[in-house]
């Protein structure tokens, strides 16, 4: 299985994740869906994801052996490596964002049906801007010129394929890299999960993907999920 050996290209779609879930039962593993724009791009908890022309909006259909929330890091690491190929320094904001230049440049959304398929969706701001999101930034804004979108996709697929292999075979190695690439460690964070909120210092990303936070001397493990994280 190679990620991207089959690519479905759409000019416009509601959401590449939604589309991928519709076709997942009938396509080979590693199939990629990429769209020029999304009319209903989504983040977690049905937050909306701005997906105008010029960005990279894509999903890959996978059939992992078991449900593993760490799949999200395959996407985040692949984005960081791709950006580095274009001279853009970035880092992971646990759990599912990639930040560059102090702003959010990409988001990862994993979904799926246990035992059947998983969809790994990535939104990366390339030649688009997101004027309605003050915290968003794009490659074009950072590089100061347009970036060849097709090359970005090519590099992203290459890195996704590599990291997916590591995730499958040596997840602890992948987590070591996540730890290295996460910029929030050592910083004060506010973690919001449903009605719960905690404030503390982010200490570590554990091998199971959770975040270790020091809350006034008490160590708390925050499990990956629909967690929002604010920095101070
Ligand atoms: C995410 O959610 O960051 C996951 C985004 C995944 C998008 C991809 S695009 C391809 C695939 N198909 C889909 O429909 N989705 C995936 P979350 O952590 O919940 O963050 C969402 C928040 O990010 C929003 O509430 C906005 O504040 C902000 N946001 C929206 N659009 C953005 C953009 N283009 N760039 C940066 N931030 C954005």
């Amino acid at each position: 299985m190679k990620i991207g050996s089959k690519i479905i290209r759409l000019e416009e779609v509601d959401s590449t994740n939604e589309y991928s879930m519709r076709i997942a039962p009938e396509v080979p593993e590693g199939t990629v869906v990429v769209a020029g724009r999304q009319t209903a791009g989504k983040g977690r908890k049905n937050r909306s994801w701005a997906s105008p022309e010029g960005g990279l909006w894509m999903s890959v259909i996978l059939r992992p052996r078991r449900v593993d929330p760490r799949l999200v890091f395959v996407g985040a690491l692949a984005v960081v490596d791709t950006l580095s190929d274009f001279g853009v320094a970035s880092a992971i904001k646990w759990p599912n964002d990639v930040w560059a230049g102090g702003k959010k440049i990409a988001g990862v959304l994993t979904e799926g049906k246990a035992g059947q398929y998983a969809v790994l969706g990535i939104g990366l701001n390339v030649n688009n801007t997101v004027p309605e999101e003050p915290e968003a930034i794009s490659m074009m804004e950072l590089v100061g010129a347009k970036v060849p979108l097709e090359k970005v996709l090519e590099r992203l697929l290459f890195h996704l394929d590599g990291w997916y292999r590591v995730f499958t075979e040596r997840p602890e190695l992948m987590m070591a890299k996540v730890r290295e690439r996460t910029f929030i460690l050592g910083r004060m964070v506010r973690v919001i999960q449903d009605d719960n909120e905690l404030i503390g210092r982010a200490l570590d990303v554990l091998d199971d993907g959770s975040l270790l936070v020091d809350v006034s001397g008490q160590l708390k493990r925050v499990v990956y999920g629909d967690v929002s994280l604010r920095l101070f």
Side-chain angles (χ1 to χ4, degrees):
M1 190 282 286
K2 192 168 191 320
I3 289 179
S5 42
K6 180 181 161 80
I7 303 180
I8 299 174
R9 292 169 191 277
L10 308 165
E11 210 171 291
E12 183 183 285
V13 72
D14 51 352
S15 145
T16 56
N17 264 34
E18 287 293 323
Y19 186 93
S20 296
M21 289 193 282
R22 292 196 288 269
I23 63 164
E26 287 113 49
V27 296
E29 186 180 29
T31 298
V32 165
V33 176
V34 54
R37 55 183 179 273
Q38 298 184 116
T39 53
K42 55 179 187 165
R44 296 171 304 157
K45 289 206 158 172
N46 283 323
R47 283 191 280 260
S48 76
W49 181 261
S51 320
E53 202 75 43
L56 181 53
W57 325 120
M58 61 85 70
S59 303
V60 49
I61 296 152
L62 298 162
R63 300 194 209 289
R65 255 168 284 148
R66 55 193 175 82
V67 178
D68 186 337
R70 295 176 296 183
L71 179 61
V72 70
F73 300 122
V74 170
L77 286 168
V79 167
V80 170
D81 284 354
T82 301
L83 289 170
S84 159
D85 291 342
F86 290 86
V88 174
S90 69
I92 300 171
K93 176 165 171 270
W94 186 93
N96 69 316
D97 289 357
V98 176
W99 282 46
K103 293 186 169 190
K104 180 164 173 172
I105 193 162
V108 183
L109 177 66
T110 51
E111 300 183 88
K113 233 185 191 167
Q116 296 184 34
Y117 61 83
V119 168
L120 171 60
I122 297 175
L124 171 61
N125 298 317
V126 181
N127 294 319
N128 62 297
T129 55
V130 194
E132 66 272 34
E133 289 290 339
E135 289 209 311
I137 197 157
S138 65
M139 291 177 77
M140 181 179 72
E141 288 170 293
L142 286 165
V143 171
K146 274 202 171 187
V147 180
L149 191 55
E150 202 50 38
K151 282 249 156 52
V152 179
L153 174 63
E154 194 185 298
R155 294 312 294 163
L156 184 61
L157 295 181
F158 171 80
H159 292 302
L160 279 172
D161 194 66
W163 283 117
Y164 188 64
R165 252 167 248 279
V166 182
F167 162 76
T168 312
E169 290 158 21
R170 302 287 303 277
E172 71 290 349
L173 281 188
M174 180 186 79
M175 291 315 298
K177 207 48 154 185
V178 169
R179 208 165 286 130
E180 201 181 304
R181 298 272 191 252
T182 299
F183 73 88
I184 59 168
L185 300 184
R187 292 181 57 169
M188 288 299 288
V189 295
R190 180 148 59 106
V191 183
I192 305 151
Q193 191 162 30
D194 300 322
D195 292 337
N196 296 319
E197 178 180 307
L198 58 84
I199 293 174
R201 194 170 297 281
L203 294 181
D204 201 2
V205 179
L206 304 180
D207 271 352
D208 65 0
S210 60
L211 184 71
L212 189 67
V213 184
D214 177 346
V215 183
S216 322
Q218 259 200 331
L219 296 188
K220 301 250 187 206
R221 229 182 95 230
V222 182
V223 179
Y224 172 79
D226 286 319
V227 180
S228 294
L229 193 136
R230 307 274 149 74
L231 299 168
F232 287 93

